[in-house]
Every structure is written in structure tokens, then in C-alpha cells.
Amino acid sequence: MTEQAPLAELSFEQARNELQQVIVRLEQGSPSLEESLGLWERGEALARHCEEWLVGAKRRLDAARASTDAPAAEDS
């Protein structure tokens, strides 16, 4: 496999695109078991990274929704 960027440096879109490439390579069949295992492990890590991005985005949306749904404080 080529040089891999550290997961922490990847945006959601970059991780998703790399994961798609990993899946294509796995579906095509790898020349060796070792390469297949490496692709699988990278794919698992990319999938976790994407999930973390999605969970974080959902939290932010939920927080934004909660702040707009909260009753405004009245000045007395």
C-alpha cells in the first residue's frame, strides 16, 4: 500500500474516499494475504474514524437544536 496519512489528519470526506478505495481493492483481490490484512485493518480504522466524525456532527446538531429550542431568558 502507498503512504497513509494519519487518521487524525483526515477529514470525513478524505477518510470516506480512502475507505471506498480500500473496499474496491479488497473486492478486486489482493496479491497477498499480508496486503489483504493490511487493507482490512486500514479499512476498519477508516470506518471508525468516519463514525467518530458522524457522532461528533450529530452531537453538534443536537446541541444547536437544543439551544434554539430552549426558551429565551426574560429580562426583568
Side-chain angles (χ1 to χ4, degrees):
M1 247 175 104
T2 60
E3 183 78 17
Q4 297 173 344
L7 289 175
E9 295 178 9
L10 296 178
S11 69
F12 172 80
E13 291 79 7
Q14 291 169 320
R16 183 199 58 215
N17 291 341
E18 186 180 337
L19 179 56
Q20 289 171 334
Q21 293 170 359
V22 166
I23 291 168
V24 167
R25 290 185 64 194
L26 284 170
E27 288 175 342
Q28 291 173 346
S30 298
S32 70
L33 177 60
E34 184 175 335
E35 184 179 3
S36 293
L37 289 172
L39 286 168
W40 181 268
E41 290 169 348
R42 180 67 174 180
E44 287 287 324
L46 289 163
R48 281 190 304 275
H49 185 67
C50 287
E51 180 69 20
E52 290 169 6
W53 268 101
L54 292 172
V55 167
K58 183 179 183 320
R59 281 189 198 123
R60 289 174 59 190
L61 287 171
D62 290 345
R65 229 180 272 142
S67 69
T68 59
D69 291 343
E74 293 182 25
D75 292 326
S76 300

